[in-house]
Amino acid sequence: MLKTLLVASVLAGASLAAPPAGAAAANVVVAKDGSGNYTTVQAGINAVSAGGTLSIKPGTYREVVSVPSGKTGITMRGTTGKAADVVIDYDNASGTKKTDGSTYGTSGSATATIAANGFTATALTFRNSFDRNAHPEIKDTQAVAVKTTGDRMVFDNVTFLGHQDTLYADTAAVGTIGRQYYRNCAISGDVDFLFGRATAVFDRATITLLDRGSSSNNGYLTAASTRRSNPYGFLITGSKVLSSAAKASFHLGRPWHPGGDVDAIAQVLIRETALPAAVKPAPWTDMSGFSWKDARFFEYRNTGAGAGTGADRPQLPAAQAGNYTAQKYLAGSDGWNPVR
């Protein structure tokens, strides 16, 4: 009877008691209106135990959040099932000044930094709302919505909103594998907005190339920095890419060599994906003195007005297609298979 009354009070919107100080809880509710255990996402992250679930009620949560490596296996979920209903947002850019006069840098600009292995997110939006037009004094306009460095991470029905450097799909250290599965996600940006050295699969994603107003160069979809020893970098598969930008004004990617690292050899495959007219006929380009031709860039059976073939559009041989599926990218040495 007591359990029934407790459930009824929660459903009626009554405030939930927070766990005792120092204690971790398997299930934590965050709500801006006070009807949960906590009113901020970070407080909920701090309280939830490894392997626990953080349920977030609708609202825009203006805060910078961090999921440390010790919070393995946690799930963050929006309670309505609609990503647009729960928004975690902040607006730091790389060049934004801190109180001590220093700047955040690209990694430090992230609205959310997620380092835990086994992390799952569903029905949420992560946004970096930095507006470069409103801050002409800031020259370093990289503004990350999410930086990920974990392994065996799943993002399902999650939206990532930003402009430059929206999603930093990275790993915990150079030479460390970080597998990340983005299923049914929506991602938008303009310059290098999918970047990093993770093994990341974007499956059935909706990717929006934002218009910067240029008739010739509106931006770059990817900037992977895959390690030379890793055969699997970024895979975009079964997805659709949208854009209102000018025809032939967007690149599919360029090779990022952080700090001039010669062993960062980008690997990107875009397969069976609809591409808009905004994609350039020669869609890959050089970066910081490194030739795109030395990277591992391929397409396979893409469609739409922006699809094409030719000397500047390497195609994955059909005989190799079976080795470059979502399952192959994510399996690793432990046979992980979150694909469904």
Side-chain angles (χ1 to χ4, degrees), residues 281-284 292-293 308-315:
W284 308 101
W292 73 264
K293 294 181 180 180
T309 59
D312 290 328
R313 301 195 75 153
Q315 303 294 307

Side-chain angles (χ1 to χ4, degrees), residues 80-139:
T80 69
K82 296 180 180 179
D85 290 346
V86 177
V87 181
I88 301 170
D89 172 65
Y90 214 75
D91 60 353
N92 285 329
S94 175
T96 301
K97 287 188 176 181
K98 302 179 184 179
T99 55
D100 64 2
S102 64
T103 56
Y104 284 95
T106 299
S107 292
S109 73
T111 298
T113 301
I114 306 170
N117 292 341
F119 175 86
T120 298
T122 183
L124 302 168
T125 293
F126 294 99
R127 179 172 67 199
N128 190 314
S129 53
F130 173 74
D131 183 353
R132 60 167 73 98
N133 293 324
H135 293 280
E137 78 282 4
I138 295 178
K139 304 306 179 184

Side-chain angles (χ1 to χ4, degrees), residues 161-185:
L161 299 177
H163 288 268
Q164 184 173 357
D165 290 6
T166 304
L167 176 55
Y168 191 172
D170 206 27
T171 71
V174 173
T176 299
I177 297 296
R179 293 164 295 171
Q180 302 165 13
Y181 183 44
Y182 300 84
R183 176 176 57 227
N184 296 318
C185 291

Side-chain angles (χ1 to χ4, degrees), residues 27-121:
N27 296 286
V28 172
V29 178
V30 171
K32 287 179 67 68
D33 63 7
S35 63
N37 303 115
Y38 300 95
T39 58
T40 68
V41 175
Q42 190 61 54
I45 292 169
N46 294 345
V48 74
S49 60
T53 297
L54 182 65
S55 299
I56 308 174
K57 292 187 177 183
T60 296
Y61 297 83
R62 180 171 166 75
E63 55 183 300
V64 174
V65 302
S66 176
V67 181
S69 59
K71 297 285 183 176
T72 56
I74 73 167
T75 295
M76 285 176 57
R77 55 177 292 272
T79 58
T80 69
K82 296 180 180 179
D85 290 346
V86 177
V87 181
I88 301 170
D89 172 65
Y90 214 75
D91 60 353
N92 285 329
S94 175
T96 301
K97 287 188 176 181
K98 302 179 184 179
T99 55
D100 64 2
S102 64
T103 56
Y104 284 95
T106 299
S107 292
S109 73
T111 298
T113 301
I114 306 170
N117 292 341
F119 175 86
T120 298

Side-chain angles (χ1 to χ4, degrees), residues 56-298:
I56 308 174
K57 292 187 177 183
T60 296
Y61 297 83
R62 180 171 166 75
E63 55 183 300
V64 174
V65 302
S66 176
V67 181
S69 59
K71 297 285 183 176
T72 56
I74 73 167
T75 295
M76 285 176 57
R77 55 177 292 272
T79 58
T80 69
K82 296 180 180 179
D85 290 346
V86 177
V87 181
I88 301 170
D89 172 65
Y90 214 75
D91 60 353
N92 285 329
S94 175
T96 301
K97 287 188 176 181
K98 302 179 184 179
T99 55
D100 64 2
S102 64
T103 56
Y104 284 95
T106 299
S107 292
S109 73
T111 298
T113 301
I114 306 170
N117 292 341
F119 175 86
T120 298
T122 183
L124 302 168
T125 293
F126 294 99
R127 179 172 67 199
N128 190 314
S129 53
F130 173 74
D131 183 353
R132 60 167 73 98
N133 293 324
H135 293 280
E137 78 282 4
I138 295 178
K139 304 306 179 184
D140 295 326
T141 58
Q142 300 90 339
V144 177
V146 175
K147 180 178 181 181
T148 53
T149 60
D151 185 38
R152 296 171 62 113
M153 308 179 84
V154 176
F155 295 84
D156 187 9
N157 182 27
V158 173
T159 297
F160 303 85
L161 299 177
H163 288 268
Q164 184 173 357
D165 290 6
T166 304
L167 176 55
Y168 191 172
D170 206 27
T171 71
V174 173
T176 299
I177 297 296
R179 293 164 295 171
Q180 302 165 13
Y181 183 44
Y182 300 84
R183 176 176 57 227
N184 296 318
C185 291
I187 308 161
S188 67
D190 47 42
V191 176
D192 304 332
F193 67 95
L194 297 181
F195 73 113
R197 64 171 173 253
T199 296
V201 172
F202 303 91
D203 186 5
R204 289 159 283 175
T206 300
I207 299 171
T208 302
L209 314 177
L210 299 178
D211 185 2
R212 291 193 295 161
S214 172
S215 61
S216 60
N217 184 12
N218 276 293
Y220 316 84
L221 169 52
T222 66
S225 57
T226 323
R227 297 304 296 167
R228 183 190 299 271
S229 58
N230 186 0
Y232 298 123
F234 290 174
L235 170 64
I236 299 173
T237 181
S239 298
K240 56 183 177 181
V241 180
L242 309 174
S243 187
S244 62
K247 183 179 180 180
S249 67
F250 231 101
H251 296 87
L252 291 179
R254 53 184 183 169
W256 182 35
H257 293 255
D261 184 357
V262 297
D263 288 321
I265 307 297
Q267 196 281 325
V268 178
L269 169 61
I270 302 175
R271 63 176 294 170
E272 296 160 315
T273 288
L275 301 177
V279 173
K280 288 177 172 286
W284 308 101
T285 192
D286 304 341
M287 186 177 188
S288 302
F290 290 92
S291 172
W292 73 264
K293 294 181 180 180
D294 295 328
R296 295 167 287 177
F297 292 151
F298 293 97

